Amino acid sequence: FVKFFKYKKYVKVIYKITGLSDGLHGFHIHQKKVKNNDCSTAAGHFNPDNINHSGRHSHKRHAGDFGNIRSKNNKSAGSFIDSKISLDKNSKYYIVGRSMVVHEKMDDLGKGGNIESKITGNAGKRLNCASIKIIG
């Protein structure tokens, strides 16, 4: 699961994912919701500012760039605070109705030296995905 909560003026992201190979995996918000459990329907990274791919700690990044999560013993769990995304319907960084995607490979944070790195971080195929929605 991946959950999003308002935290002061930011968003807290909590995740617990199983079934991943050990190592680093790209972790991103994509533009569209998932249809029919097909991760390709999520489109590209959520990038309302139309800038190059980077990592979560970079000032200039896709709103959906969260960098990597680490899996050990086929499990990955953690949390972080993000100042870019929003749960406010009036924000251009609003994430509800989009999707969360875990990728096969490590995200190179836009430092891979090729065009694909500046778009996707060379994170590889989409292993798992889910639409972001409000529950409750």
Side-chain angles (χ1 to χ4, degrees), residues 64-120:
D65 289 346
F66 287 165
N68 293 294
I69 57 173
R70 181 177 301 279
S71 180
K72 186 173 180 183
N73 298 321
N74 304 112
K75 297 175 189 167
S76 183
S79 67
F80 56 88
I81 306 297
D82 191 80
S83 61
K84 190 99 171 173
I85 60 172
S86 178
L87 296 173
D88 175 356
K89 289 181 187 179
N90 297 315
S91 171
K92 75 177 183 176
Y93 303 110
Y94 184 59
I95 61 169
V96 176
R98 304 189 187 288
S99 61
M100 199 68 228
V101 176
V102 178
H103 291 267
E104 172 186 37
K105 299 178 185 175
M106 176 186 84
D107 183 335
D108 68 19
L109 309 179
K111 298 176 183 175
N114 59 30
I115 301 262
E116 190 64 24
S117 176
K118 294 179 184 292
I119 299 169
T120 69

Short mmCIF file of all heavy atoms in Angstrom, two decimals, residues 64-120:
data_model
loop_
_atom_site.label_atom_id
_atom_site.label_comp_id
_atom_site.label_asym_id
_atom_site.label_seq_id
_atom_site.Cartn_x
_atom_site.Cartn_y
_atom_site.Cartn_z
N GLY A 64 6.04 14.19 -9.59
CA GLY A 64 5.94 12.77 -9.27
C GLY A 64 7.24 12.05 -9.03
O GLY A 64 7.26 10.84 -8.83
N ASP A 65 8.36 12.74 -9.06
CA ASP A 65 9.67 12.10 -8.85
C ASP A 65 9.92 11.86 -7.37
O ASP A 65 10.21 12.79 -6.62
CB ASP A 65 10.80 12.98 -9.39
CG ASP A 65 10.85 13.04 -10.90
OD1 ASP A 65 10.20 12.20 -11.54
OD2 ASP A 65 11.55 13.92 -11.43
N PHE A 66 9.87 10.62 -6.96
CA PHE A 66 10.16 10.26 -5.57
C PHE A 66 11.48 9.52 -5.45
O PHE A 66 11.83 9.06 -4.37
CB PHE A 66 9.04 9.41 -4.98
CG PHE A 66 7.78 10.17 -4.69
CD1 PHE A 66 6.61 9.47 -4.46
CD2 PHE A 66 7.73 11.55 -4.64
CE1 PHE A 66 5.43 10.14 -4.17
CE2 PHE A 66 6.56 12.23 -4.35
CZ PHE A 66 5.40 11.52 -4.11
N GLY A 67 12.20 9.33 -6.54
CA GLY A 67 13.49 8.66 -6.47
C GLY A 67 13.34 7.16 -6.35
O GLY A 67 12.66 6.53 -7.15
N ASN A 68 13.96 6.59 -5.31
CA ASN A 68 13.98 5.14 -5.14
C ASN A 68 13.47 4.71 -3.77
O ASN A 68 13.57 5.47 -2.81
CB ASN A 68 15.43 4.63 -5.26
CG ASN A 68 15.97 4.79 -6.65
OD1 ASN A 68 15.50 4.16 -7.58
ND2 ASN A 68 16.97 5.67 -6.80
N ILE A 69 12.95 3.50 -3.75
CA ILE A 69 12.70 2.82 -2.48
C ILE A 69 13.62 1.60 -2.46
O ILE A 69 13.99 1.07 -3.51
CB ILE A 69 11.22 2.42 -2.30
CG1 ILE A 69 10.73 1.55 -3.46
CG2 ILE A 69 10.36 3.67 -2.14
CD1 ILE A 69 9.33 0.99 -3.25
N ARG A 70 14.00 1.17 -1.27
CA ARG A 70 14.89 0.02 -1.13
C ARG A 70 14.08 -1.18 -0.64
O ARG A 70 13.33 -1.08 0.33
CB ARG A 70 16.01 0.31 -0.15
CG ARG A 70 16.98 -0.86 0.03
CD ARG A 70 18.14 -0.53 0.95
NE ARG A 70 18.92 0.60 0.50
CZ ARG A 70 19.88 0.54 -0.43
NH1 ARG A 70 20.15 -0.60 -1.03
NH2 ARG A 70 20.54 1.62 -0.76
N SER A 71 14.27 -2.30 -1.31
CA SER A 71 13.63 -3.55 -0.90
C SER A 71 14.68 -4.48 -0.33
O SER A 71 15.77 -4.62 -0.89
CB SER A 71 12.94 -4.20 -2.10
OG SER A 71 12.33 -5.40 -1.73
N LYS A 72 14.36 -5.09 0.80
CA LYS A 72 15.23 -6.10 1.42
C LYS A 72 14.34 -7.25 1.86
O LYS A 72 13.28 -7.02 2.44
CB LYS A 72 15.97 -5.50 2.61
CG LYS A 72 16.99 -6.45 3.20
CD LYS A 72 17.82 -5.78 4.27
CE LYS A 72 18.82 -6.78 4.81
NZ LYS A 72 19.61 -6.22 5.90
N ASN A 73 14.75 -8.45 1.57
CA ASN A 73 13.93 -9.64 1.85
C ASN A 73 12.55 -9.50 1.22
O ASN A 73 11.53 -9.84 1.81
CB ASN A 73 13.82 -9.90 3.35
CG ASN A 73 15.17 -10.18 3.98
OD1 ASN A 73 15.99 -10.86 3.38
ND2 ASN A 73 15.40 -9.64 5.15
N ASN A 74 12.53 -8.95 0.00
CA ASN A 74 11.31 -8.75 -0.80
C ASN A 74 10.30 -7.81 -0.18
O ASN A 74 9.11 -7.86 -0.50
CB ASN A 74 10.66 -10.10 -1.12
CG ASN A 74 11.62 -11.04 -1.81
OD1 ASN A 74 12.02 -12.05 -1.25
ND2 ASN A 74 12.02 -10.70 -3.01
N LYS A 75 10.75 -6.93 0.74
CA LYS A 75 9.86 -5.97 1.39
C LYS A 75 10.48 -4.58 1.36
O LYS A 75 11.68 -4.42 1.52
CB LYS A 75 9.61 -6.37 2.84
CG LYS A 75 8.92 -7.69 3.00
CD LYS A 75 8.81 -8.06 4.46
CE LYS A 75 8.31 -9.49 4.58
NZ LYS A 75 8.47 -10.01 5.92
N SER A 76 9.61 -3.59 1.20
CA SER A 76 10.04 -2.20 1.27
C SER A 76 8.99 -1.43 2.06
O SER A 76 7.80 -1.52 1.78
CB SER A 76 10.17 -1.60 -0.14
OG SER A 76 10.65 -0.28 -0.07
N ALA A 77 9.44 -0.70 3.07
CA ALA A 77 8.51 0.08 3.88
C ALA A 77 9.21 1.34 4.35
O ALA A 77 10.41 1.35 4.59
CB ALA A 77 8.04 -0.74 5.08
N GLY A 78 8.44 2.40 4.48
CA GLY A 78 9.01 3.66 4.96
C GLY A 78 8.02 4.79 4.82
O GLY A 78 6.86 4.59 4.48
N SER A 79 8.52 5.98 5.07
CA SER A 79 7.70 7.18 4.91
C SER A 79 8.60 8.38 4.66
O SER A 79 9.80 8.33 4.94
CB SER A 79 6.85 7.42 6.16
OG SER A 79 7.67 7.75 7.26
N PHE A 80 8.02 9.42 4.11
CA PHE A 80 8.73 10.67 3.90
C PHE A 80 7.72 11.79 3.75
O PHE A 80 6.53 11.55 3.53
CB PHE A 80 9.68 10.61 2.70
CG PHE A 80 9.02 10.23 1.39
CD1 PHE A 80 8.45 11.18 0.57
CD2 PHE A 80 8.98 8.90 0.99
CE1 PHE A 80 7.86 10.83 -0.63
CE2 PHE A 80 8.39 8.53 -0.21
CZ PHE A 80 7.83 9.51 -1.02
N ILE A 81 8.19 13.01 3.90
CA ILE A 81 7.37 14.21 3.72
C ILE A 81 7.74 14.82 2.38
O ILE A 81 8.93 14.96 2.07
CB ILE A 81 7.64 15.24 4.84
CG1 ILE A 81 7.46 14.62 6.22
CG2 ILE A 81 6.79 16.50 4.65
CD1 ILE A 81 6.08 14.15 6.54
N ASP A 82 6.75 15.18 1.57
CA ASP A 82 7.02 15.81 0.28
C ASP A 82 6.39 17.19 0.22
O ASP A 82 5.22 17.37 0.58
CB ASP A 82 6.49 14.95 -0.86
CG ASP A 82 7.00 15.44 -2.19
OD1 ASP A 82 8.16 15.10 -2.52
OD2 ASP A 82 6.27 16.16 -2.88
N SER A 83 7.16 18.15 -0.25
CA SER A 83 6.69 19.53 -0.30
C SER A 83 6.15 19.93 -1.67
O SER A 83 5.66 21.04 -1.84
CB SER A 83 7.82 20.48 0.10
OG SER A 83 8.90 20.36 -0.81
N LYS A 84 6.22 19.05 -2.66
CA LYS A 84 5.80 19.40 -4.02
C LYS A 84 4.37 18.96 -4.33
O LYS A 84 3.59 19.74 -4.86
CB LYS A 84 6.77 18.77 -5.02
CG LYS A 84 6.60 19.25 -6.42
CD LYS A 84 7.62 20.30 -6.71
CE LYS A 84 7.62 20.66 -8.17
NZ LYS A 84 8.48 21.78 -8.44
N ILE A 85 4.03 17.72 -4.02
CA ILE A 85 2.70 17.22 -4.34
C ILE A 85 1.66 17.83 -3.41
O ILE A 85 2.01 18.40 -2.37
CB ILE A 85 2.64 15.68 -4.28
CG1 ILE A 85 2.98 15.18 -2.88
CG2 ILE A 85 3.53 15.07 -5.35
CD1 ILE A 85 2.76 13.69 -2.68
N SER A 86 0.39 17.70 -3.79
CA SER A 86 -0.67 18.31 -2.99
C SER A 86 -1.92 17.44 -2.96
O SER A 86 -2.21 16.70 -3.90
CB SER A 86 -1.02 19.68 -3.58
OG SER A 86 -2.07 20.28 -2.87
N LEU A 87 -2.66 17.58 -1.86
CA LEU A 87 -3.99 16.97 -1.74
C LEU A 87 -5.07 18.03 -1.85
O LEU A 87 -6.24 17.77 -1.58
CB LEU A 87 -4.09 16.21 -0.42
CG LEU A 87 -3.13 15.02 -0.28
CD1 LEU A 87 -3.19 14.44 1.13
CD2 LEU A 87 -3.46 13.96 -1.31
N ASP A 88 -4.70 19.22 -2.27
CA ASP A 88 -5.61 20.34 -2.47
C ASP A 88 -6.11 20.33 -3.92
O ASP A 88 -5.31 20.45 -4.85
CB ASP A 88 -4.87 21.66 -2.17
CG ASP A 88 -5.70 22.90 -2.46
OD1 ASP A 88 -6.84 22.80 -2.97
OD2 ASP A 88 -5.19 23.99 -2.19
N LYS A 89 -7.41 20.17 -4.11
CA LYS A 89 -8.00 20.08 -5.45
C LYS A 89 -7.66 21.27 -6.34
O LYS A 89 -7.68 21.16 -7.56
CB LYS A 89 -9.53 19.98 -5.36
CG LYS A 89 -10.03 18.69 -4.85
CD LYS A 89 -11.54 18.69 -4.84
CE LYS A 89 -12.10 17.46 -4.18
NZ LYS A 89 -13.55 17.46 -4.14
N ASN A 90 -7.38 22.41 -5.75
CA ASN A 90 -7.10 23.62 -6.53
C ASN A 90 -5.63 23.77 -6.91
O ASN A 90 -5.27 24.73 -7.58
CB ASN A 90 -7.56 24.85 -5.75
CG ASN A 90 -9.05 24.82 -5.52
OD1 ASN A 90 -9.82 24.52 -6.42
ND2 ASN A 90 -9.47 25.10 -4.30
N SER A 91 -4.79 22.84 -6.50
CA SER A 91 -3.37 22.92 -6.81
C SER A 91 -3.04 22.19 -8.11
O SER A 91 -3.60 21.13 -8.39
CB SER A 91 -2.57 22.28 -5.67
OG SER A 91 -1.22 22.16 -6.02
N LYS A 92 -2.11 22.73 -8.88
CA LYS A 92 -1.68 22.02 -10.10
C LYS A 92 -0.88 20.77 -9.75
O LYS A 92 -0.61 19.94 -10.60
CB LYS A 92 -0.91 22.94 -11.03
CG LYS A 92 0.50 23.27 -10.64
CD LYS A 92 1.14 24.13 -11.73
CE LYS A 92 2.58 24.46 -11.45
NZ LYS A 92 3.17 25.22 -12.57
N TYR A 93 -0.52 20.61 -8.48
CA TYR A 93 0.23 19.44 -8.01
C TYR A 93 -0.68 18.41 -7.33
O TYR A 93 -0.19 17.49 -6.67
CB TYR A 93 1.34 19.88 -7.05
CG TYR A 93 2.29 20.87 -7.69
CD1 TYR A 93 2.30 22.20 -7.29
CD2 TYR A 93 3.15 20.49 -8.71
CE1 TYR A 93 3.15 23.11 -7.88
CE2 TYR A 93 4.00 21.40 -9.31
CZ TYR A 93 4.00 22.70 -8.90
OH TYR A 93 4.84 23.61 -9.49
N TYR A 94 -1.98 18.54 -7.52
CA TYR A 94 -2.98 17.63 -6.94
C TYR A 94 -2.77 16.22 -7.49
O TYR A 94 -2.68 16.02 -8.71
CB TYR A 94 -4.37 18.14 -7.30
CG TYR A 94 -5.53 17.38 -6.72
CD1 TYR A 94 -5.69 17.24 -5.35
CD2 TYR A 94 -6.51 16.85 -7.55
CE1 TYR A 94 -6.80 16.58 -4.82
CE2 TYR A 94 -7.61 16.19 -7.04
CZ TYR A 94 -7.75 16.05 -5.67
OH TYR A 94 -8.84 15.40 -5.15
N ILE A 95 -2.68 15.23 -6.60
CA ILE A 95 -2.33 13.86 -7.03
C ILE A 95 -3.50 12.88 -7.11
O ILE A 95 -3.36 11.83 -7.72
CB ILE A 95 -1.24 13.27 -6.12
CG1 ILE A 95 -1.71 13.19 -4.67
CG2 ILE A 95 0.05 14.07 -6.26
CD1 ILE A 95 -0.81 12.39 -3.76
N VAL A 96 -4.64 13.20 -6.54
CA VAL A 96 -5.78 12.28 -6.58
C VAL A 96 -6.23 12.12 -8.03
O VAL A 96 -6.33 13.10 -8.77
CB VAL A 96 -6.92 12.77 -5.67
CG1 VAL A 96 -8.14 11.86 -5.80
CG2 VAL A 96 -6.46 12.85 -4.22
N GLY A 97 -6.47 10.87 -8.44
CA GLY A 97 -6.85 10.59 -9.82
C GLY A 97 -5.64 10.24 -10.69
O GLY A 97 -5.79 9.96 -11.88
N ARG A 98 -4.48 10.24 -10.11
CA ARG A 98 -3.26 9.85 -10.80
C ARG A 98 -2.89 8.44 -10.33
O ARG A 98 -3.72 7.74 -9.79
CB ARG A 98 -2.16 10.86 -10.54
CG ARG A 98 -2.61 12.27 -10.95
CD ARG A 98 -1.53 13.30 -10.92
NE ARG A 98 -2.09 14.63 -11.15
CZ ARG A 98 -2.54 15.07 -12.32
NH1 ARG A 98 -2.52 14.30 -13.38
NH2 ARG A 98 -3.03 16.29 -12.43
N SER A 99 -1.65 8.01 -10.50
CA SER A 99 -1.29 6.66 -10.04
C SER A 99 0.11 6.63 -9.45
O SER A 99 0.95 7.47 -9.74
CB SER A 99 -1.38 5.66 -11.20
OG SER A 99 -0.48 6.04 -12.22
N MET A 100 0.32 5.64 -8.63
CA MET A 100 1.61 5.36 -8.02
C MET A 100 2.20 4.16 -8.74
O MET A 100 1.49 3.16 -8.95
CB MET A 100 1.38 5.04 -6.53
CG MET A 100 2.57 5.16 -5.67
SD MET A 100 3.11 6.86 -5.50
CE MET A 100 4.84 6.61 -5.84
N VAL A 101 3.48 4.24 -9.12
CA VAL A 101 4.12 3.15 -9.87
C VAL A 101 5.46 2.79 -9.23
O VAL A 101 6.23 3.68 -8.87
CB VAL A 101 4.34 3.56 -11.35
CG1 VAL A 101 5.10 2.48 -12.10
CG2 VAL A 101 3.01 3.85 -12.04
N VAL A 102 5.70 1.49 -9.10
CA VAL A 102 7.00 0.97 -8.68
C VAL A 102 7.65 0.35 -9.91
O VAL A 102 7.02 -0.44 -10.62
CB VAL A 102 6.86 -0.09 -7.57
CG1 VAL A 102 8.23 -0.65 -7.18
CG2 VAL A 102 6.16 0.48 -6.36
N HIS A 103 8.91 0.72 -10.15
CA HIS A 103 9.62 0.26 -11.34
C HIS A 103 10.59 -0.88 -11.04
O HIS A 103 11.01 -1.08 -9.89
CB HIS A 103 10.37 1.43 -11.97
CG HIS A 103 9.46 2.45 -12.57
ND1 HIS A 103 9.09 2.43 -13.89
CD2 HIS A 103 8.84 3.52 -12.03
CE1 HIS A 103 8.28 3.44 -14.13
NE2 HIS A 103 8.11 4.12 -13.02
N GLU A 104 10.99 -1.56 -12.09
CA GLU A 104 11.88 -2.71 -12.00
C GLU A 104 13.29 -2.35 -11.54
O GLU A 104 13.91 -3.08 -10.77
CB GLU A 104 11.95 -3.36 -13.39
CG GLU A 104 12.95 -4.45 -13.54
CD GLU A 104 13.08 -4.93 -14.97
OE1 GLU A 104 12.99 -4.12 -15.92
OE2 GLU A 104 13.28 -6.13 -15.14
N LYS A 105 13.80 -1.23 -12.01
CA LYS A 105 15.20 -0.88 -11.78
C LYS A 105 15.34 0.36 -10.89
O LYS A 105 14.37 1.05 -10.61
CB LYS A 105 15.89 -0.58 -13.11
CG LYS A 105 15.92 -1.74 -14.07
CD LYS A 105 16.59 -1.29 -15.35
CE LYS A 105 16.56 -2.38 -16.41
NZ LYS A 105 17.12 -1.88 -17.67
N MET A 106 16.58 0.63 -10.54
CA MET A 106 16.92 1.83 -9.79
C MET A 106 16.71 3.07 -10.66
O MET A 106 17.05 3.07 -11.85
CB MET A 106 18.39 1.76 -9.36
CG MET A 106 18.89 2.98 -8.65
SD MET A 106 20.66 2.89 -8.32
CE MET A 106 21.30 3.45 -9.89
N ASP A 107 16.17 4.12 -10.10
CA ASP A 107 16.03 5.41 -10.75
C ASP A 107 17.39 6.12 -10.67
O ASP A 107 17.94 6.27 -9.59
CB ASP A 107 14.96 6.22 -10.01
CG ASP A 107 14.66 7.57 -10.63
OD1 ASP A 107 15.53 8.13 -11.32
OD2 ASP A 107 13.56 8.08 -10.39
N ASP A 108 17.93 6.54 -11.82
CA ASP A 108 19.23 7.22 -11.81
C ASP A 108 19.11 8.73 -11.53
O ASP A 108 20.09 9.47 -11.61
CB ASP A 108 19.98 6.97 -13.11
CG ASP A 108 19.35 7.63 -14.34
OD1 ASP A 108 18.53 8.57 -14.20
OD2 ASP A 108 19.68 7.20 -15.46
N LEU A 109 17.89 9.18 -11.20
CA LEU A 109 17.61 10.57 -10.79
C LEU A 109 17.97 11.60 -11.87
O LEU A 109 18.30 12.74 -11.57
CB LEU A 109 18.33 10.90 -9.48
CG LEU A 109 18.11 9.90 -8.34
CD1 LEU A 109 18.89 10.31 -7.11
CD2 LEU A 109 16.65 9.71 -8.05
N GLY A 110 17.89 11.17 -13.13
CA GLY A 110 18.15 12.09 -14.24
C GLY A 110 19.63 12.30 -14.53
O GLY A 110 19.99 13.15 -15.32
N LYS A 111 20.49 11.48 -13.91
CA LYS A 111 21.94 11.66 -14.06
C LYS A 111 22.57 10.58 -14.95
O LYS A 111 23.78 10.38 -14.91
CB LYS A 111 22.60 11.64 -12.68
CG LYS A 111 22.12 12.78 -11.79
CD LYS A 111 22.70 12.68 -10.40
CE LYS A 111 22.12 13.79 -9.53
NZ LYS A 111 22.57 13.68 -8.15
N GLY A 112 21.75 9.90 -15.73
CA GLY A 112 22.24 8.78 -16.54
C GLY A 112 22.92 9.17 -17.84
O GLY A 112 23.46 8.32 -18.53
N GLY A 113 22.89 10.44 -18.20
CA GLY A 113 23.61 10.89 -19.38
C GLY A 113 22.93 10.59 -20.70
O GLY A 113 23.56 10.69 -21.75
N ASN A 114 21.66 10.22 -20.69
CA ASN A 114 20.94 10.01 -21.95
C ASN A 114 19.54 10.63 -21.85
O ASN A 114 19.11 11.06 -20.79
CB ASN A 114 20.88 8.51 -22.31
CG ASN A 114 20.19 7.67 -21.25
OD1 ASN A 114 19.30 8.13 -20.53
ND2 ASN A 114 20.60 6.43 -21.14
N ILE A 115 18.86 10.68 -22.98
CA ILE A 115 17.53 11.31 -23.03
C ILE A 115 16.55 10.60 -22.10
O ILE A 115 15.79 11.25 -21.40
CB ILE A 115 16.98 11.28 -24.48
CG1 ILE A 115 17.92 12.02 -25.40
CG2 ILE A 115 15.56 11.82 -24.54
CD1 ILE A 115 17.61 13.42 -25.73
N GLU A 116 16.56 9.28 -22.10
CA GLU A 116 15.62 8.51 -21.26
C GLU A 116 15.81 8.85 -19.78
O GLU A 116 14.84 8.91 -19.02
CB GLU A 116 15.79 7.01 -21.50
CG GLU A 116 14.72 6.16 -20.88
CD GLU A 116 13.32 6.39 -21.44
OE1 GLU A 116 13.18 6.87 -22.59
OE2 GLU A 116 12.35 6.10 -20.72
N SER A 117 17.02 9.09 -19.37
CA SER A 117 17.30 9.46 -17.98
C SER A 117 16.59 10.75 -17.61
O SER A 117 16.06 10.89 -16.51
CB SER A 117 18.81 9.63 -17.78
OG SER A 117 19.09 10.06 -16.47
N LYS A 118 16.52 11.70 -18.53
CA LYS A 118 15.88 12.99 -18.27
C LYS A 118 14.35 12.90 -18.27
O LYS A 118 13.67 13.81 -17.86
CB LYS A 118 16.36 14.03 -19.28
CG LYS A 118 17.84 14.35 -19.11
CD LYS A 118 18.28 15.37 -20.14
CE LYS A 118 19.75 15.64 -20.08
NZ LYS A 118 20.19 16.31 -18.90
N ILE A 119 13.83 11.75 -18.75
CA ILE A 119 12.38 11.54 -18.80
C ILE A 119 11.92 10.59 -17.69
O ILE A 119 10.96 10.87 -16.97
CB ILE A 119 11.95 10.99 -20.18
CG1 ILE A 119 12.32 11.99 -21.27
CG2 ILE A 119 10.46 10.68 -20.21
CD1 ILE A 119 12.19 11.44 -22.68
N THR A 120 12.61 9.45 -17.55
CA THR A 120 12.16 8.40 -16.63
C THR A 120 13.17 7.98 -15.57
O THR A 120 12.85 7.17 -14.71
CB THR A 120 11.80 7.12 -17.42
OG1 THR A 120 13.01 6.56 -17.94
CG2 THR A 120 10.80 7.39 -18.53
#
